[in-house]
Structures are given as C-alpha cells and as structure tokens.
Amino acid sequence: MKRYIYTIILAAGCLTACQKNDIEKTPLNQWTEEYVFDEKDSVGDFAKGFLIETYSNLPTGFNRIGGNVLESASDDAIASQTSSTIERFTNGQISSFNNPDDQWAKNYTGIRRANIFLANVGKVPFKQSMITEKNYWIAEARFLRAYFYFELVKRYGGVPLLGERVLTINDNLSIPKNTLAECAQYILNECDEVKGALRKDPISDADLGRATQAAALALKSRLLLYMASPLYNANALAANDPKWKDAADAAREVMKLNVFSLHSSFSTLFTTRKNTEVILAFQRANGNDVETNNTPVGYAGPVTANGYTSPTQELVNAFEMKDGKSYTQSALYDANNPYLNRDPRFYLTIFHNGFKWLNRNIETFEGGKDKPGGIVTQTRTGYYMRKFMGDFTSSTVFSSQTHNFMLFRYAEILLNFAEAQNEYSGPDADVYKAIEDIRRRAGLVPFALPLNLNKDQMREVIRHERRVEMAFEEQRFWDIRRWKIAETVLNGSLHGMRITKTGTTLTYEPYEAAKVSFSAPKMYIYPISYDEITKNRSLVQNTGW
C-alpha cells in the first residue's frame, strides 16, 4: 500500500486528540493517510483539519498576481508599475510559458485533496453524535471539488475529469480532456447532488466560511450564467433560449431561500466578517494588507503605501451621478469638478484627487504628493483603488481590518438573475426590481430605471450595474470574456485623467494611459501550461496556442 505525505493545518480543536494519539511526535511533513484518517479518531479531528486545509485552494482575491488585482488585466484598471507580469494579458505576451494566472496545478491539487478525503473519510470510526457532521464534511468536499473544476473550466475550457480517482505514479497519467459540455454537466450534477446535504443557511458563527446549501446554489447560478453567455452559447442573443431560463431559475432558487438580502450599507459590506449578503467568502485573518497594497504612494512613511492599482478613466466614467444619470446626461456634472455628486459607490471604489484619506487630501495632480513623478510605482491614470478598505478618512495609521474575499454575495445573485431573465424573456417587473434594489442600496436618488426599456437597453443597464457594483471582485475580467466584448474594450487605449494645478486652479484632461491588445478568438481561453502538455501526452493544447 502506498503512503502519501501531507502538510496540513489543523483546527485548534484537534489539540486534545493530538495528545491522545501522540501525533505531535511525528513531524508535520511526515504525516500520512494513516495519521490523518486515524482509525482511533472518533471525532475526526485530523480529517477535519485536512478538509479545512483544502479550502485554502479556493480563490484568495485582492492583489494576488504579482501584487496586482486581476482587474488590472481588464478595462477597469492597469498596474501602477509598468512591465508588471499581469500586463501579459493586455500586451499580447501571454503564452503557455508565461501565464500570470495559471491556476491549473492549484485547482488540481484541490481536486486531489477532495478525492483523498472522500476516499479515506470512511476509515474514521465516527461516534454516533458525529455522523451528521461527517455527512456535512463529505458534501463540502464534493462542493469544493466542483468549485475547483469551475475555476479550471472558466480559464481553460474542457479539462480532464478525474471522477473519484486518486492518481499515483503507477497509474496511466496520459488523460485526455473532457469536453466543455461534459465538464459543465459534471459541475452542475455535483451542485444538485450536494445542495441538500450541506448545512442550511444562515450558518453559525462557528462554521463561518464553510460551504452551505446557498453556496452550491450560487455556484450553479454562476456556472449556468456563463454557459448561457455568448462565449459558450451560439444562441445567446436569440429570444427564449432555454440556457438563459436555466440560469435565471438557478439564481431564483437562491433568492427563494429568503435568507439573504443586500447588506444595509455598501461602505461596511467588505469589512464585516458576517452579514446578510455574504454567501461564501475566503476566510482571512484580520490585517491591513489591502490598505497597504493600494493606498496612494504619497502616504509612504507614516504607513506602507504601495499604490499598486490604477483604475482607468473608463471605469470612472462608468459611475453615474448621484441622480442615477450618466455624467454626459446629468445636470449635476461639472467638468471643473468632475468627482462631485457621483454615485456613492464611486467614493468607496476609487481614490481621486481631493479625496480625504489618512487626514489629508489625496494629490494626483501632476507633481502632487501621490503623483510625484520620478518613481517606478505610482498612479498611471490619476486614480488609485479604494475598494475593500476600512474608513481611514481621519486616521493617521491603519488598524487591523476584516478582509475576507467574497466568493459569492447576494448582489451577484440579483445581477445573475436580472441578466438571465432579461435575455430569456425581456425586462419584466422582476428584472426591474432586482436592479433597482441594488441601485437603492447604492444610494442613488432616484434609484428607479426608465420605464419601458427594451431587452437591448436593459442589457446595457445590467452590464453597467454589474461593472460598478462588482468592481475589483474578479468579475469584470471574466464578464468581458463571456460576453465576447474583450476584443472591443481591450483593443486600443485605456485612459487616465491628467490634472494640472496652476495656483489654486485645477484643469482636467483625459489622456492615453496604456495601449492594450486582445487577440480574438484565442485569448478568450487560456493556454494550458507547456509543462502540463509535456507531462500528459494526451492533453491537447487549446486552439491558437
């Protein structure tokens, strides 16, 4: 029998069991299946720890790619430092040798861990009072495995499905890809089969971060929305396409739980560990890394201020005025004071010139403290990312904050539903309500949309709301691909705002901040790493790579 060695992080609750089994006498790097799935561990502490560690393979978000957020490879932002690896997505240099977001190994590691758990948890002699908990864990492992496959599919298309197999070096490792349709159906089946076996919502504080029924339904909602979209569905723009109905029904299933709602305030949504909007989040210890990674560079000294993210003028322009009209249509817009009277979400998403932060006003005018020139990393657009941070308007230093990366939240479900329902049958009252609920929470006055919008007009409204509501949450990068608009919005130029200060007078001039290119159709799907192709002779490279 083969013995596999794992390094795992166990929950604090395992300490008593560790003492009983003297497992602490064995170095962590020598723990084997026999230790983890202990035939004497009647409460399954070691197995639980193995499962908890499997959650670490979920997306972590924020500045995870060379210090940059994923949206720095979209039309919403660029990296503040030129020649960052993430620019390979927008300068045509991505390849099977150089992919800043190659997640193949990470997700197959997660799949392997889930399969190891499922293959071995039956060895643990759970006492009767732990059987319900054991069944939850089994359902969680299956959910995690489905999530990891989704992360692969949205990047690479069809991938090898391993089923329940835990491969060894003696197995045939030459495994062909399954089709995209087969992969999508597998994920869908897993979501449907485990949704009733997972914990019901709302979840207890002790189980925060564990997959629940709503998490499985939310994954199903996102999967079906993607599969109905133009990138994957040749009939996406046809009337009454059943794939859109399936996607709308999946989102409605979450809504019908009557457990989740929009959090009362967008300003505290991302800094509270538990609220009515969070369906599933990647759990992180409190800290201030989001603040230090993205605060404007002029604050360096009193605090760490890396200023890694430069939002584009395109994203700034997407934010309406506070009356719910675009800046080109609203009487509230003042070209001499362009950041006044904007959608309240704007001020919680974008640092702009004049924004008060750490007890002084941000200066992104030419030669200002936060755009001084002469340093490698500083805003390239006149803006920095504000989203996800605590309120440090009048502070002088950062305090520790909750920064859990949201994997699913209720606003996305409403947006998923509105998009799918509109594409299936047009903008009915339920579509209006879903979008207007989000606009009401945002603080737009009035929040109501114009009456009698047609399907095409409502499609643009929904895409706009999705962009500003979900900015920097790793949605836009994928949305412009599934909508097949990346070839339009990522070919040409992205812009910033050049602000010149003369005395006390500021002048504003849009300018080209970066040239971008996107080669369709090949760039809609990632290349598979050359290393993976050479290891698996049956693995065919994606088209164009």
Side-chain angles (χ1 to χ4, degrees), residues 55-133:
Y55 275 86
S56 68
N57 291 86
L58 288 171
T60 58
F62 304 125
N63 300 72
R64 66 177 179 82
I65 302 178
N68 293 292
V69 296
L70 182 63
E71 278 74 6
S72 292
S74 76
D75 55 340
D76 277 358
I78 59 178
S80 295
Q81 184 175 18
T82 57
S83 302
S84 295
T85 58
I86 200 165
E87 290 186 343
R88 291 173 184 161
F89 283 112
T90 54
N91 64 13
Q93 293 183 8
I94 184 176
S95 72
S96 61
F97 296 95
N98 292 298
N99 181 352
D101 187 41
D102 186 9
Q103 298 289 307
W104 187 279
K106 177 182 178 181
N107 283 289
Y108 271 113
T109 295
I111 290 164
R112 179 179 177 81
R113 291 184 64 90
N115 279 349
I116 288 171
F117 180 88
L118 293 168
N120 289 281
V121 71
K123 300 174 183 176
V124 180
F126 288 93
K127 58 185 179 182
Q128 189 61 38
S129 62
M130 289 294 298
I131 297 302
T132 298
E133 190 74 8

Coordinates of all heavy atoms in Angstrom, one line a residue, residues 55-133:
Y55 N -9.8 24.0 1.8 CA -10.4 25.3 1.5 C -9.4 26.3 1.1 O -9.7 27.3 0.4 CB -11.2 25.8 2.7 CG -12.6 25.3 2.9 CD1 -12.9 24.1 3.5 CD2 -13.7 26.0 2.4 CE1 -14.1 23.6 3.7 CE2 -15.0 25.6 2.6 CZ -15.2 24.4 3.2 OH -16.5 23.9 3.3
S56 N -8.1 26.1 1.4 CA -7.1 27.1 1.1 C -6.8 27.2 -0.4 O -6.2 28.1 -0.9 CB -5.8 26.8 1.8 OG -5.2 25.6 1.4
N57 N -7.4 26.2 -1.2 CA -7.2 26.2 -2.6 C -8.3 27.0 -3.3 O -8.2 27.2 -4.5 CB -7.2 24.8 -3.2 CG -6.0 24.0 -2.8 OD1 -5.9 23.4 -1.7 ND2 -5.0 24.0 -3.6
L58 N -9.2 27.6 -2.6 CA -10.2 28.5 -3.1 C -9.6 29.8 -3.6 O -8.5 30.2 -3.1 CB -11.3 28.7 -2.1 CG -12.3 27.6 -1.9 CD1 -13.2 27.9 -0.7 CD2 -13.1 27.3 -3.1
P59 N -10.2 30.6 -4.4 CA -9.6 31.9 -4.8 C -9.4 32.8 -3.7 O -10.3 33.0 -2.8 CB -10.7 32.4 -5.8 CG -11.4 31.2 -6.3 CD -11.4 30.3 -5.2
T60 N -8.3 33.5 -3.6 CA -8.0 34.4 -2.5 C -8.2 35.8 -2.8 O -8.3 36.7 -1.9 CB -6.5 34.2 -2.1 OG1 -5.7 34.4 -3.2 CG2 -6.3 32.8 -1.6
G61 N -8.3 36.2 -4.1 CA -8.6 37.5 -4.5 C -7.6 38.6 -4.2 O -6.4 38.3 -3.9
F62 N -8.0 39.9 -4.2 CA -7.2 41.0 -3.9 C -5.9 41.0 -4.8 O -6.0 40.7 -6.0 CB -6.9 41.1 -2.4 CG -8.1 41.1 -1.6 CD1 -8.3 40.2 -0.6 CD2 -9.1 42.1 -1.8 CE1 -9.5 40.2 0.2 CE2 -10.3 42.1 -1.0 CZ -10.4 41.2 0.0
N63 N -4.8 41.4 -4.2 CA -3.6 41.7 -5.0 C -2.7 40.4 -5.2 O -1.6 40.3 -4.7 CB -2.7 42.7 -4.4 CG -3.4 44.1 -4.2 OD1 -4.4 44.2 -3.5 ND2 -3.0 45.0 -5.0
R64 N -3.3 39.4 -5.8 CA -2.7 38.0 -5.8 C -1.8 37.8 -7.0 O -1.2 36.7 -7.0 CB -3.8 37.0 -5.8 CG -4.7 36.9 -7.0 CD -5.8 35.8 -6.9 NE -6.6 35.8 -8.1 CZ -6.3 35.2 -9.2 NH1 -5.1 34.6 -9.4 NH2 -7.1 35.2 -10.2
I65 N -1.8 38.7 -8.0 CA -1.0 38.4 -9.2 C 0.2 39.4 -9.2 O 0.0 40.5 -9.7 CB -1.8 38.4 -10.5 CG1 -3.0 37.4 -10.4 CG2 -0.9 38.1 -11.7 CD1 -3.9 37.5 -11.6
G66 N 1.3 39.0 -8.7 CA 2.5 39.9 -8.7 C 2.2 41.2 -8.0 O 2.7 42.2 -8.4
G67 N 1.3 41.2 -7.0 CA 1.0 42.4 -6.3 C -0.2 43.1 -6.9 O -0.7 44.1 -6.4
N68 N -0.8 42.6 -8.0 CA -1.9 43.3 -8.7 C -3.2 42.5 -8.6 O -3.2 41.3 -8.4 CB -1.5 43.4 -10.2 CG -0.3 44.3 -10.4 OD1 -0.5 45.5 -10.2 ND2 0.8 43.8 -10.8
V69 N -4.3 43.3 -8.7 CA -5.6 42.7 -8.7 C -5.8 42.2 -10.1 O -5.3 42.7 -11.1 CB -6.7 43.7 -8.3 CG1 -6.5 44.1 -6.8 CG2 -6.7 44.9 -9.2
L70 N -6.7 41.2 -10.3 CA -6.9 40.6 -11.6 C -7.5 41.7 -12.6 O -7.2 41.6 -13.8 CB -7.9 39.5 -11.5 CG -8.3 38.7 -12.8 CD1 -7.0 38.0 -13.4 CD2 -9.3 37.7 -12.5
E71 N -8.3 42.6 -12.1 CA -8.9 43.6 -13.0 C -7.8 44.6 -13.6 O -8.2 45.3 -14.5 CB -9.9 44.4 -12.2 CG -11.3 43.7 -12.1 CD -11.3 42.6 -11.1 OE1 -10.3 42.4 -10.4 OE2 -12.4 41.9 -11.1
S72 N -6.6 44.5 -13.1 CA -5.5 45.2 -13.8 C -5.2 44.7 -15.2 O -4.4 45.2 -15.9 CB -4.3 45.3 -12.9 OG -4.5 46.0 -11.8
A73 N -5.9 43.6 -15.5 CA -5.8 43.0 -16.8 C -7.1 43.1 -17.5 O -7.4 42.4 -18.5 CB -5.4 41.5 -16.8
S74 N -8.0 44.0 -17.1 CA -9.2 44.3 -17.8 C -9.3 45.8 -18.2 O -8.2 46.5 -18.1 CB -10.4 44.0 -16.8 OG -10.5 45.0 -15.8
D75 N -10.4 46.3 -18.6 CA -10.5 47.7 -18.9 C -10.9 48.5 -17.7 O -11.1 49.8 -17.8 CB -11.6 47.9 -20.0 CG -13.0 47.3 -19.6 OD1 -13.0 46.4 -18.7 OD2 -14.0 47.8 -20.2
D76 N -10.9 48.0 -16.5 CA -11.2 48.7 -15.3 C -9.9 49.3 -14.6 O -10.0 50.2 -13.8 CB -11.9 47.8 -14.3 CG -13.4 47.7 -14.6 OD1 -13.9 48.4 -15.5 OD2 -14.1 47.0 -13.8
A77 N -8.7 48.7 -14.9 CA -7.5 49.2 -14.2 C -6.3 48.8 -15.0 O -6.4 47.9 -15.8 CB -7.5 48.6 -12.8
I78 N -5.2 49.4 -14.7 CA -3.9 48.9 -15.1 C -3.0 48.9 -13.9 O -3.2 49.5 -12.9 CB -3.3 49.9 -16.2 CG1 -3.2 51.3 -15.7 CG2 -4.2 49.8 -17.5 CD1 -2.5 52.2 -16.7
A79 N -1.9 48.1 -14.0 CA -0.9 48.1 -12.9 C -0.2 49.4 -12.8 O 0.2 50.0 -13.9 CB 0.1 47.0 -13.2
S80 N 0.0 49.9 -11.6 CA 0.7 51.2 -11.4 C 2.2 51.1 -11.8 O 2.8 52.1 -12.2 CB 0.6 51.6 -10.0 OG -0.7 51.9 -9.6
Q81 N 2.7 49.9 -11.7 CA 4.1 49.7 -12.2 C 4.1 49.1 -13.6 O 3.5 48.1 -13.9 CB 4.8 48.7 -11.2 CG 6.3 48.5 -11.5 CD 7.0 47.7 -10.5 OE1 6.4 47.0 -9.7 NE2 8.4 47.8 -10.5
T82 N 4.8 49.8 -14.5 CA 4.9 49.3 -15.8 C 5.7 48.0 -15.9 O 6.5 47.7 -15.0 CB 5.6 50.4 -16.8 OG1 6.8 50.7 -16.2 CG2 4.7 51.6 -16.8
S83 N 5.5 47.2 -16.9 CA 6.1 46.0 -17.1 C 5.8 44.9 -16.1 O 6.6 44.0 -15.8 CB 7.7 46.1 -17.2 OG 8.0 47.0 -18.3
S84 N 4.7 45.1 -15.4 CA 4.2 44.1 -14.4 C 3.8 42.8 -15.2 O 3.3 42.9 -16.4 CB 3.0 44.6 -13.6 OG 3.4 45.7 -12.8
T85 N 3.9 41.7 -14.6 CA 3.6 40.4 -15.3 C 2.2 40.4 -15.7 O 1.9 39.8 -16.7 CB 3.9 39.2 -14.4 OG1 3.2 39.3 -13.1 CG2 5.4 39.1 -14.0
I86 N 1.3 41.0 -15.0 CA -0.1 41.0 -15.3 C -0.4 41.6 -16.7 O -1.4 41.4 -17.3 CB -1.0 41.6 -14.2 CG1 -2.5 41.1 -14.4 CG2 -1.0 43.1 -14.2 CD1 -3.3 41.3 -13.1
E87 N 0.5 42.5 -17.2 CA 0.3 43.2 -18.4 C 0.4 42.2 -19.6 O 0.0 42.5 -20.7 CB 1.3 44.3 -18.6 CG 1.1 45.5 -17.7 CD 2.0 46.6 -18.0 OE1 3.1 46.4 -18.7 OE2 1.7 47.7 -17.6
R88 N 0.8 41.0 -19.4 CA 0.9 40.0 -20.4 C -0.5 39.7 -21.0 O -0.7 39.3 -22.2 CB 1.5 38.7 -19.9 CG 3.0 38.8 -19.7 CD 3.5 37.6 -19.0 NE 5.0 37.8 -18.7 CZ 5.6 37.0 -17.8 NH1 5.0 36.0 -17.2 NH2 6.9 37.3 -17.5
F89 N -1.6 39.9 -20.2 CA -2.9 39.7 -20.7 C -3.3 40.8 -21.6 O -4.3 40.7 -22.4 CB -3.9 39.7 -19.5 CG -3.9 38.4 -18.7 CD1 -3.4 38.4 -17.4 CD2 -4.4 37.3 -19.3 CE1 -3.5 37.2 -16.7 CE2 -4.4 36.1 -18.6 CZ -4.0 36.1 -17.3
T90 N -2.7 42.0 -21.6 CA -3.1 43.1 -22.4 C -2.1 43.6 -23.4 O -2.3 44.6 -24.1 CB -3.5 44.3 -21.5 OG1 -2.5 44.6 -20.6 CG2 -4.8 44.0 -20.7
N91 N -0.9 43.0 -23.4 CA 0.1 43.3 -24.4 C 0.4 42.2 -25.4 O 1.4 42.3 -26.1 CB 1.3 43.9 -23.8 CG 2.1 42.9 -22.9 OD1 1.8 41.7 -23.0 ND2 3.0 43.4 -22.1
G92 N -0.4 41.1 -25.3 CA -0.2 40.0 -26.2 C 1.0 39.1 -25.9 O 1.4 38.2 -26.7
Q93 N 1.5 39.2 -24.7 CA 2.7 38.3 -24.3 C 2.3 37.1 -23.5 O 3.2 36.3 -23.1 CB 3.7 39.2 -23.6 CG 4.4 40.3 -24.4 CD 5.4 41.0 -23.6 OE1 5.8 40.7 -22.5 NE2 5.9 42.1 -24.2
I94 N 1.1 36.9 -23.3 CA 0.7 35.7 -22.5 C 0.9 34.5 -23.5 O 0.8 34.5 -24.7 CB -0.8 35.7 -22.1 CG1 -1.2 34.5 -21.3 CG2 -1.7 35.9 -23.3 CD1 -2.6 34.5 -20.8
S95 N 1.4 33.4 -22.9 CA 1.7 32.2 -23.6 C 1.6 31.0 -22.7 O 1.4 31.1 -21.5 CB 3.1 32.3 -24.3 OG 4.1 32.1 -23.3
S96 N 1.8 29.8 -23.3 CA 1.8 28.6 -22.5 C 3.1 28.5 -21.6 O 3.1 27.7 -20.7 CB 1.8 27.3 -23.4 OG 3.0 27.3 -24.2
F97 N 4.0 29.4 -21.8 CA 5.2 29.5 -20.9 C 5.1 30.6 -19.9 O 5.7 30.6 -18.9 CB 6.5 29.8 -21.8 CG 6.8 28.7 -22.7 CD1 6.4 28.7 -24.1 CD2 7.5 27.6 -22.3 CE1 6.7 27.7 -25.0 CE2 7.8 26.6 -23.2 CZ 7.4 26.6 -24.5
N98 N 4.2 31.6 -20.2 CA 4.1 32.8 -19.4 C 2.7 33.2 -19.2 O 2.1 33.9 -20.0 CB 4.9 34.0 -20.0 CG 6.4 33.8 -20.0 OD1 7.0 33.7 -18.9 ND2 6.9 33.8 -21.2
N99 N 2.1 32.7 -18.1 CA 0.7 33.0 -17.8 C 0.6 33.4 -16.3 O 0.8 32.6 -15.4 CB -0.2 31.8 -18.0 CG -1.7 32.1 -17.7 OD1 -2.0 33.1 -17.2 ND2 -2.6 31.1 -18.0
P100 N 0.4 34.7 -16.0 CA 0.4 35.2 -14.6 C -0.7 34.6 -13.8 O -0.6 34.6 -12.6 CB 0.2 36.7 -14.8 CG 0.5 37.0 -16.2 CD 0.2 35.8 -17.0
D101 N -1.7 34.0 -14.4 CA -2.8 33.5 -13.7 C -3.0 32.0 -14.0 O -4.1 31.5 -14.1 CB -4.1 34.2 -14.0 CG -5.3 33.8 -13.1 OD1 -5.1 33.6 -11.9 OD2 -6.4 33.7 -13.7
D102 N -1.9 31.3 -14.2 CA -2.0 29.8 -14.4 C -2.4 29.1 -13.1 O -1.7 29.0 -12.2 CB -0.7 29.3 -14.9 CG -0.7 27.8 -15.3 OD1 -1.9 27.3 -15.4 OD2 0.3 27.2 -15.5
Q103 N -3.7 28.6 -13.1 CA -4.2 28.0 -11.9 C -4.5 26.5 -12.1 O -5.2 25.9 -11.3 CB -5.6 28.7 -11.6 CG -5.4 30.2 -11.3 CD -4.8 30.4 -9.9 OE1 -5.2 29.9 -8.9 NE2 -3.7 31.3 -9.9
W104 N -3.8 25.9 -13.1 CA -4.0 24.5 -13.3 C -3.6 23.7 -12.1 O -4.4 22.9 -11.6 CB -3.2 24.1 -14.6 CG -3.5 22.7 -15.1 CD1 -2.9 21.6 -14.6 CD2 -4.3 22.3 -16.2 NE1 -3.3 20.5 -15.3 CE2 -4.2 20.9 -16.3 CE3 -5.1 23.0 -17.0 CZ2 -4.9 20.2 -17.3 CZ3 -5.8 22.3 -18.0 CH2 -5.7 20.9 -18.1
A105 N -2.4 23.8 -11.7 CA -1.9 23.0 -10.6 C -2.6 23.2 -9.3 O -2.9 22.3 -8.6 CB -0.4 23.2 -10.5
K106 N -2.9 24.5 -9.0 CA -3.6 24.8 -7.7 C -4.9 24.1 -7.7 O -5.3 23.5 -6.6 CB -3.7 26.3 -7.6 CG -4.5 26.7 -6.3 CD -4.7 28.2 -6.2 CE -5.5 28.5 -5.0 NZ -5.7 30.0 -4.9
N107 N -5.7 24.2 -8.7 CA -7.0 23.6 -8.7 C -7.0 22.1 -8.8 O -7.8 21.4 -8.1 CB -7.9 24.2 -9.8 CG -8.3 25.6 -9.4 OD1 -9.2 25.8 -8.6 ND2 -7.8 26.6 -10.1
Y108 N -6.1 21.5 -9.5 CA -6.0 20.0 -9.5 C -5.5 19.5 -8.1 O -5.8 18.4 -7.7 CB -5.2 19.5 -10.6 CG -6.0 19.3 -11.9 CD1 -5.9 20.0 -13.0 CD2 -7.0 18.3 -11.9 CE1 -6.7 19.8 -14.1 CE2 -7.8 18.0 -13.0 CZ -7.6 18.8 -14.1 OH -8.4 18.6 -15.2
T109 N -4.7 20.3 -7.5 CA -4.3 20.0 -6.1 C -5.5 20.0 -5.2 O -5.7 19.0 -4.4 CB -3.2 21.0 -5.5 OG1 -2.1 20.9 -6.3 CG2 -2.9 20.7 -4.1
G110 N -6.4 21.0 -5.3 CA -7.6 21.0 -4.6 C -8.5 19.8 -4.9 O -9.1 19.1 -4.0
I111 N -8.6 19.4 -6.2 CA -9.4 18.3 -6.6 C -8.8 17.0 -6.0 O -9.6 16.1 -5.5 CB -9.5 18.2 -8.1 CG1 -10.3 19.3 -8.6 CG2 -10.0 16.8 -8.6 CD1 -10.2 19.6 -10.1
R112 N -7.5 16.9 -6.0 CA -6.9 15.7 -5.5 C -7.1 15.6 -4.0 O -7.5 14.5 -3.4 CB -5.4 15.7 -5.7 CG -4.6 14.5 -5.1 CD -3.1 14.6 -5.5 NE -2.4 13.5 -4.8 CZ -2.4 12.2 -5.3 NH1 -3.0 11.9 -6.4 NH2 -1.7 11.3 -4.7
R113 N -7.0 16.7 -3.3 CA -7.3 16.7 -1.8 C -8.7 16.3 -1.5 O -9.0 15.5 -0.6 CB -6.9 18.0 -1.2 CG -5.5 18.4 -1.2 CD -5.3 19.7 -0.5 NE -5.7 19.6 0.9 CZ -4.8 19.2 1.9 NH1 -3.6 19.0 1.6 NH2 -5.3 19.1 3.2
A114 N -9.6 16.8 -2.3 CA -11.0 16.4 -2.1 C -11.2 14.9 -2.3 O -12.0 14.3 -1.5 CB -11.9 17.2 -3.0
N115 N -10.6 14.4 -3.4 CA -10.8 13.0 -3.6 C -10.1 12.1 -2.6 O -10.6 11.0 -2.2 CB -10.2 12.6 -5.0 CG -11.1 13.0 -6.1 OD1 -12.3 13.3 -5.9 ND2 -10.6 13.0 -7.4
I116 N -9.0 12.6 -2.1 CA -8.3 11.8 -1.0 C -9.2 11.8 0.3 O -9.4 10.8 0.9 CB -7.0 12.5 -0.6 CG1 -5.9 12.2 -1.7 CG2 -6.4 12.0 0.7 CD1 -4.6 12.9 -1.6
F117 N -9.8 12.9 0.6 CA -10.7 13.0 1.7 C -11.9 12.0 1.5 O -12.2 11.2 2.4 CB -11.2 14.4 1.9 CG -12.2 14.6 3.1 CD1 -11.7 14.8 4.3 CD2 -13.5 14.4 2.9 CE1 -12.5 15.0 5.4 CE2 -14.4 14.6 4.0 CZ -13.9 14.8 5.2
L118 N -12.5 12.1 0.4 CA -13.7 11.3 0.1 C -13.3 9.8 0.1 O -14.1 8.9 0.5 CB -14.3 11.7 -1.2 CG -15.0 13.1 -1.3 CD1 -15.3 13.5 -2.7 CD2 -16.2 13.1 -0.4
A119 N -12.1 9.4 -0.4 CA -11.7 8.0 -0.4 C -11.4 7.5 1.0 O -11.4 6.3 1.2 CB -10.5 7.9 -1.4
N120 N -11.0 8.3 1.9 CA -10.5 7.9 3.2 C -11.3 8.2 4.4 O -11.1 7.6 5.5 CB -9.1 8.4 3.4 CG -8.1 7.8 2.5 OD1 -7.6 6.7 2.7 ND2 -7.8 8.5 1.4
V121 N -12.3 9.1 4.3 CA -13.0 9.5 5.5 C -13.8 8.4 6.1 O -14.1 8.3 7.3 CB -13.9 10.7 5.2 CG1 -15.1 10.4 4.3 CG2 -14.4 11.4 6.5
G122 N -14.2 7.4 5.2 CA -14.9 6.2 5.7 C -14.1 5.4 6.7 O -14.7 4.5 7.4
K123 N -12.8 5.5 6.7 CA -12.0 4.8 7.7 C -12.1 5.3 9.1 O -11.7 4.6 10.1 CB -10.5 4.8 7.3 CG -10.2 4.3 5.9 CD -8.8 4.5 5.5 CE -8.5 4.1 4.1 NZ -7.1 4.4 3.7
V124 N -12.6 6.5 9.2 CA -12.6 7.2 10.6 C -13.9 6.6 11.3 O -15.0 6.8 10.8 CB -12.7 8.7 10.5 CG1 -12.7 9.3 11.8 CG2 -11.4 9.2 9.7
P125 N -13.7 6.1 12.5 CA -14.8 5.5 13.2 C -15.6 6.5 14.0 O -15.6 6.6 15.2 CB -14.2 4.5 14.2 CG -12.9 5.2 14.5 CD -12.4 5.9 13.2
F126 N -16.3 7.4 13.3 CA -17.1 8.5 13.9 C -18.1 7.9 14.9 O -18.8 7.0 14.6 CB -17.8 9.3 12.9 CG -17.0 10.1 12.0 CD1 -16.5 9.7 10.8 CD2 -16.6 11.4 12.4 CE1 -15.6 10.5 10.0 CE2 -15.8 12.2 11.6 CZ -15.3 11.7 10.4
K127 N -18.1 8.5 16.1 CA -19.2 8.2 17.0 C -20.5 8.7 16.5 O -20.6 9.6 15.7 CB -18.8 8.7 18.4 CG -18.7 10.2 18.5 CD -18.2 10.5 20.0 CE -18.0 12.0 20.1 NZ -17.5 12.4 21.5
Q128 N -21.6 8.1 17.1 CA -22.9 8.4 16.5 C -23.2 9.9 16.5 O -23.8 10.4 15.5 CB -24.0 7.7 17.4 CG -25.4 7.7 16.8 CD -25.4 7.1 15.4 OE1 -24.8 6.1 15.1 NE2 -26.2 7.7 14.5
S129 N -22.8 10.6 17.5 CA -23.1 12.1 17.6 C -22.4 12.9 16.5 O -22.7 14.0 16.3 CB -22.7 12.6 18.9 OG -21.3 12.5 19.2
M130 N -21.4 12.2 15.8 CA -20.6 12.9 14.8 C -21.1 12.6 13.3 O -20.5 13.1 12.4 CB -19.2 12.6 14.9 CG -18.5 13.2 16.2 SD -18.5 15.0 16.1 CE -17.4 15.3 14.6
I131 N -22.0 11.7 13.2 CA -22.4 11.3 11.9 C -22.9 12.4 11.0 O -22.6 12.5 9.8 CB -23.4 10.1 11.9 CG1 -22.8 8.9 12.6 CG2 -23.9 9.7 10.5 CD1 -21.6 8.4 12.0
T132 N -23.8 13.2 11.6 CA -24.3 14.4 10.8 C -23.2 15.3 10.3 O -23.2 15.7 9.2 CB -25.3 15.2 11.7 OG1 -26.4 14.3 12.0 CG2 -25.8 16.4 10.9
E133 N -22.3 15.5 11.3 CA -21.1 16.4 10.9 C -20.3 15.7 9.8 O -19.8 16.4 8.9 CB -20.2 16.6 12.1 CG -19.2 17.7 12.0 CD -19.7 19.1 11.9 OE1 -20.9 19.3 12.2 OE2 -18.9 20.0 11.6

